Amino acid sequence: MKKTSTRLADGRELIYYDLRDDSVRDATDRRPLDRTVTTSEIRRDPLLGDSVAIASHRQGRTYHPPADECPLCPSEGDRLSEIPDSSYDVVVFENRFPSLAGDSGRCEVVCFTSDHNASFGELTEEQAGLVLEAWTDRTSELSHLPSVEQVFCFENRGAEIGVTLQHPHGQIYAYPFTTPRTALMLRSAAAHKEMTGGENLFDAVLERELAGERVVLEGEHWVAFVPYAAHWPYEVHLYPKRRVPDLLGLDEGARTEFPQVYLELLRRFDRIFGESEAPTPYIAAWHQAPFGALEEFDGVVREDFALHLELFTIRRTSGKLKFLAGSESGMNVFINDVPPERAAERLREVASS
């Protein structure tokens, strides 16, 4: 992998990740851009104890542009985009309309491929491996920023999810706090550790799932399963078999096998509801341990956390979506219409031939 860092016309950082070591990235951003001005502010909810990002400048962000005006495609001739070069393998840049900025963290865009009409599931194993390297590198770099406590790599896919740019891409949020969902996991891990005299909760969950009926696919280094209490109609958790707290901890074997397992998983998601309803909308979310202090979690250390990816779709059956209505949105109590065992069975049925 070759990494080349440069700057866009408004000062934002852009990084090329190339498969070839002899790639030259010297194109300049020719757009007449002013410096980006953001109004991001973090406010803490005194009742729930969580944080909300107030980012009014995002109201003006790019919204469903035509394909020939896509800001994530390479620049070509007089059509200038966020990527100055005429081609790329993987590229990461600071979001022009960030939810988090400055002392409130940082937001980045990850373009998986220059092919506007592709998807992550259509990448080659080599390309998917390069994306993994980019995620890992950005996790490392962002973790050293003084304002950053947790790094979250994710992909939103499909208009049903709320995606406004159709080019295959994901995002990275670098939060200045430990996110509420991660805090819940850490508290559960701390309670389990105390109750069992030191047993790791993530290890216990993985051991139970490996012995059960909800495993979707398994390799030498990774296992994918539908969790016992899945919140979403089709939800899969992908774990490395050797517990590590973040992407930086993956060994060479796990890095090599990841593209094989993950690409197969994504392709199965596109087959759940039949060809007529592909592609399947989904969210893919990496869960990594925070880089800040964990004193509030009663004896839990970073190494107790287990890196894993959660992949889920909001489609519950053909032509129908799962909406977060009163119970989910008002009380955070999910109601799942698809039994996890049936979801796992379906994802095994649609394996690639």
Side-chain angles (χ1 to χ4, degrees):
M1 179 193 77
K2 182 180 180 181
K3 175 183 175 182
T4 306
S5 182
T6 185
R7 292 281 171 179
L8 296 173
D10 56 6
R12 289 176 293 132
E13 185 178 18
L14 180 143
I15 307 159
Y16 294 98
Y17 293 90
D18 286 294
L19 291 167
R20 292 172 56 96
D21 290 336
D22 59 355
S23 297
V24 177
R25 299 298 184 184
D26 55 6
T28 58
D29 186 1
R30 294 180 284 129
R31 297 173 297 172
L33 297 180
D34 294 327
R35 286 275 174 174
T36 301
V37 177
T38 63
T39 57
S40 180
E41 176 189 357
I42 301 296
R43 297 185 182 181
R44 188 164 181 81
D45 186 320
L47 296 181
L48 298 180
D50 58 8
S51 298
V52 178
I54 309 297
S56 60
H57 62 278
R58 285 175 52 78
Q59 285 281 38
R61 66 187 184 275
T62 308
Y63 187 80
H64 291 298
D68 60 356
E69 296 179 17
C70 175
L72 306 184
C73 287
S75 292
E76 184 177 355
D78 293 331
R79 188 186 63 75
L80 306 178
S81 74
E82 290 281 64
I83 297 91
D85 216 324
S86 59
S87 67
Y88 64 85
D89 291 335
V90 173
V91 70
V92 177
F93 60 88
E94 288 184 75
N95 198 321
R96 191 176 178 186
F97 304 96
S99 302
L100 309 166
D103 292 340
S104 297
R106 176 159 157 153
C107 292
E108 299 181 340
V109 177
V110 184
C111 297
F112 304 138
T113 171
S114 60
D115 185 351
H116 180 84
N117 297 311
S119 68
F120 199 119
E122 294 172 323
L123 299 181
T124 66
E125 290 183 12
E126 187 179 34
Q127 290 172 314
L130 183 60
V131 176
L132 177 62
E133 291 303 312
W135 282 331
T136 305
D137 180 70
R138 296 316 301 152
T139 296
S140 176
E141 293 291 327
L142 293 170
S143 71
H144 291 99
L145 296 180
S147 63
V148 171
E149 188 166 312
Q150 185 173 357
V151 179
F152 175 47
C153 307
F154 65 100
E155 179 191 2
N156 297 327
R157 187 225 202 174
E160 299 92 334
I161 299 294
V163 174
T164 57
L165 297 176
Q166 297 310 309
H167 194 103
H169 72 288
Q171 300 181 65
I172 301 176
Y173 277 21
Y175 297 101
F177 50 79
T178 297
T179 60
R181 188 173 177 86
T182 301
L184 283 174
M185 294 183 193
L186 290 168
R187 292 189 186 100
S188 295
H192 184 86
K193 189 174 185 179
E194 181 180 4
M195 181 178 64
T196 60
E199 182 181 65
N200 183 275
L201 175 60
F202 294 97
D203 290 351
V205 168
L206 188 57
E207 182 180 359
R208 182 177 72 173
E209 295 294 357
L210 279 167
E213 58 182 316
R214 290 179 296 275
V215 172
V216 174
L217 69 145
E218 181 180 356
E220 180 182 353
H221 301 278
W222 295 86
V223 60
F225 58 87
V226 178
Y228 171 73
H231 289 58
W232 299 94
Y234 290 90
E235 174 183 341
V236 176
H237 293 190
L238 178 61
Y239 276 68
K241 290 184 177 179
R242 182 179 70 87
R243 173 167 42 90
V244 294
D246 52 43
L247 289 165
L248 284 70
L250 293 175
D251 60 24
E252 192 59 34
R255 292 186 181 281
T256 300
E257 188 181 78
F258 170 77
Q260 305 163 22
V261 175
Y262 188 48
L263 290 174
E264 170 64 16
L265 195 55
L266 292 179
R267 291 162 187 167
R268 292 191 192 190
F269 255 59
D270 273 346
R271 296 188 182 98
I272 295 174
F273 307 103
E275 292 185 7
S276 63
E277 297 217 28
T280 299
Y282 66 71
I283 293 175
W286 280 109
H287 292 263
Q288 305 192 79
F291 289 94
L294 301 181
E295 285 87 352
E296 64 179 291
F297 300 109
D298 300 325
V300 168
V301 296
R302 287 195 81 248
E303 288 69 26
D304 288 329
F305 193 87
L307 166 77
H308 63 284
L309 182 143
E310 297 185 7
L311 173 69
F312 60 89
T313 179
I314 62 170
R315 187 174 289 163
R316 57 187 174 88
T317 189
S318 181
K320 298 178 182 179
L321 300 180
K322 166 64 178 178
F323 292 102
L324 300 190
S327 185
E328 292 89 354
S329 295
M331 287 289 117
N332 200 28
V333 177
F334 276 68
I335 301 169
N336 189 351
D337 303 318
V338 180
E341 293 73 23
R342 174 55 190 147
E345 181 182 21
R346 177 59 181 158
L347 285 162
R348 291 192 296 268
E349 291 174 351
V350 296
S352 297
S353 57

